[in-house]
Amino acid sequence: MNLFDVYPINDVTIVKAKGSYVWDDKGEQYLDLYGGHAVISIGHTHPHWVKRIEEQLEKIAFYSNSIKIPLQQELATKLGKVSGKEDYQLFLCNSGAEANENALKMASFHNGRKKIIAFSKSFHGRTSLAVAATDNKNYIAPVNETDNIIFLPLNDEKALQECFDTNGKEISSVIIEGIQGVGGINVAENSFLQKIRSLCDEFGAVYIADSVQCGYGRSGKFFSHDFSGVNADIYTMAKGMGNGFPVAGIIIAPHIKPKHFQLGTTFGGNHLACAAALAVLEVLEEEKLMGNATLIGKYLRDELEAIPELKNVRGRGLMIGFDVPEELKDLKKNLLWNQKIFTGESKPNVIRLLPSLALKKRDAEQFIDSIKEEIALLQETAS
Ligand SMILES: Cc1ncc(COP(=O)(O)O)c(C=O)c1O
């Protein structure tokens, strides 16, 4: 049997990983500034994370949600403390798409409405509603098409106001990434998030903060939406939550009440997933990784801004993007093959940095030296 060929892939086989480094099957070492797409939050194979999972594995890996699983409450309590949202309610699931799907559904159960506002260049996942709210026609199958989604330009307060003025009573929810990831590292402005908050309050809509990629400390705050100083009604989380162990969740504001059987899951919140997620929060706190993300992120952005060839350096914490001009279009590829550094991209011309939040200054310095070297080499070849 062959694999179903859904992605173009790099010709490299990673067999070992530690901290911000990975090694291929030929023993070659790579600096990982991609984190398998923002998933590696506390660093590859962190010893505390490995130990927590191993110890749990020896006891019990899984039982369904038909019994008490105290680890889930332990996780909820810890998550409440670290995120500062102690009065929210946690529902656990398995992936980012599933988290958003549940959030959109929960909003609709709550206010009985159908329309969803999403934004240009958004990515919310591949399941039916999440993909319908994703601004990329290539991902939407005919069966996912719905006229319940209204797409608006990001950070356009006037368009948002007009949309609520026209459709306000029908809007169930507004879903927005605090920093768009797949769309190319576009930061939602604080004033825009504040506007969403006030319009949702005025019209009884639910504000959903998609924090699947920008959450869990990546921006330097637990949720990048927190920069705006207002709370969302539902936050969705995945990627960094398990540092590679598949675990996701949504946290729901206290005024949204649960009803039995509206949400549910077989695998969500299993013992192993909770152990992994707890280990991540413990390390995040113990090693002060949000502070590190702020510090190293600022260093990287300052250094990148000083490189004249790179344009529009943007992002927060360790979620950074910049535009690469057409004549340097091989930069990402050359960083990988010549410098052995993994980075991310957004089509057509954005390089995305999504490293572990424990990235060390010397690794950041190595990246800056390497990118300068590769830019100079590309310019030399072109002249
Ligand atoms: C902002 C955002 N939301 C949702 C998703 C979907 O997450 P998953 O691939 O875990 O379903 C992603 C994945 O890239 C994402 O970046």
Side-chain angles (χ1 to χ4, degrees):
M1 188 189 287
N2 284 325
L3 297 173
F4 200 54
D5 184 14
V6 292
Y7 290 122
I9 55 172
N10 294 307
D11 184 17
V12 52
T13 305
I14 294 172
V15 294
K16 197 176 89 170
K18 185 98 210 138
S20 293
Y21 285 92
V22 297
W23 287 262
D24 71 12
D25 51 355
K26 296 171 194 75
E28 192 77 64
Q29 177 180 304
Y30 299 77
L31 175 61
D32 184 12
L33 300 185
Y34 177 52
H37 210 83
V39 165
I40 301 304
S41 47
I42 58 170
H44 288 281
T45 61
H46 191 289
H48 179 66
W49 178 84
V50 171
K51 186 162 167 274
R52 257 283 200 177
I53 294 174
E54 275 176 356
E55 282 176 2
Q56 188 57 48
L57 198 50
E58 295 285 343
K59 293 184 206 151
I60 178 171
F62 172 81
Y63 201 84
S64 84
N65 283 298
S66 60
I67 48 129
K68 284 186 178 172
I69 303 179
L71 273 172
Q72 293 182 350
Q73 186 53 54
E74 206 185 315
L75 175 57
T77 304
K78 185 83 184 166
L79 184 57
K81 279 215 181 80
V82 179
S83 68
K85 316 271 183 232
E86 287 184 89
D87 55 346
Y88 280 57
Q89 313 152 83
L90 173 65
F91 173 74
L92 291 160
C93 54
N94 308 284
S95 71
E98 209 190 323
N100 285 330
E101 198 77 20
N102 279 299
L104 294 164
K105 244 169 93 170
M106 198 57 242
S108 178
F109 276 133
H110 174 67
N111 55 24
R113 302 177 185 170
K114 292 185 180 172
K115 298 268 186 222
I116 295 163
I117 295 178
F119 297 97
S120 47
K121 293 199 172 179
S122 60
F123 182 88
H124 298 297
R126 310 237 179 208
T127 54
S128 63
L129 251 187
V131 83
T134 288
D135 183 24
N136 188 330
K137 296 227 167 353
N138 295 331
Y139 303 161
I140 300 174
V143 73
N144 303 129
E145 283 166 14
T146 164
D147 53 15
N148 283 332
I149 316 288
I150 303 168
F151 283 102
L152 297 178
L154 183 70
N155 291 328
D156 186 336
E157 290 182 34
K158 194 164 159 275
L160 187 68
Q161 177 74 58
E162 280 169 10
C163 183
F164 267 98
D165 287 343
T166 318
N167 310 284
K169 289 274 161 343
E170 289 175 82
I171 306 293
S172 172
S173 58
V174 179
I175 184 165
I176 182 164
E177 295 158 81
I179 306 169
Q180 289 185 336
V182 176
I185 312 292
N186 307 309
V187 178
E189 286 164 11
N190 292 343
S191 59
F192 192 62
L193 298 179
Q194 289 156 7
K195 182 82 180 167
I196 291 176
R197 178 68 279 160
S198 70
L199 288 169
C200 282
D201 285 343
E202 187 182 340
F203 288 92
V206 174
Y207 168 8
I208 300 172
D210 182 340
S211 303
V212 166
Q213 187 164 155
C214 59
Y216 246 75
R218 178 152 296 282
S219 67
K221 289 194 187 283
F222 193 81
F223 293 117
S224 73
H225 293 78
D226 289 343
F227 282 95
S228 70
V230 294
N231 278 330
D233 298 308
I234 303 181
Y235 295 82
T236 65
M237 303 159 287
K239 295 189 188 292
M241 187 170 183
N243 196 46
F245 194 97
V247 53
I250 65 178
I251 59 167
I252 305 158
H255 70 276
I256 301 179
K257 304 290 179 210
K259 251 199 202 148
H260 280 180
F261 305 117
Q262 283 186 336
L263 304 186
T265 166
T266 297
F267 292 124
N270 66 75
H271 297 73
L272 261 190
C274 288
L278 272 162
V280 169
L281 290 175
E282 284 155 2
V283 172
L284 208 63
E285 212 176 31
E286 178 71 24
E287 299 184 7
K288 301 185 172 46
L289 294 186
M290 288 191 255
N292 190 62
T294 304
L295 208 72
I296 305 293
K298 179 168 182 345
Y299 165 78
L300 279 169
R301 277 201 314 283
D302 287 350
E303 291 292 319
L304 289 165
E305 268 165 17
I307 301 175
E309 290 81 3
L310 306 177
K311 305 290 177 218
N312 198 12
V313 178
R314 56 199 184 267
R316 278 178 168 144
L318 284 171
M319 185 161 181
I320 299 173
F322 50 89
D323 297 341
V324 174
E326 178 60 20
E327 60 276 19
L328 298 180
K329 66 177 178 347
D330 288 337
L331 188 57
K332 179 179 179 293
K333 191 167 62 102
N334 292 3
L335 280 167
L336 177 59
W337 299 122
N338 301 344
Q339 302 286 340
K340 309 295 179 210
I341 298 177
F342 277 100
T343 57
E345 69 183 334
S346 279
K347 301 278 183 226
N349 63 344
V350 180
I351 288 188
R352 269 194 294 169
L353 304 180
L354 301 160
S356 148
L357 308 182
L359 186 72
K360 294 199 166 44
K361 176 83 182 293
R362 62 164 192 270
D363 295 327
E365 284 166 352
Q366 184 201 326
F367 169 67
I368 296 298
D369 291 346
S370 302
I371 199 166
K372 284 181 182 163
E373 197 179 316
E374 287 308 319
I375 290 172
L377 275 171
L378 280 167
Q379 285 173 330
E380 228 173 80
T381 340
S383 62

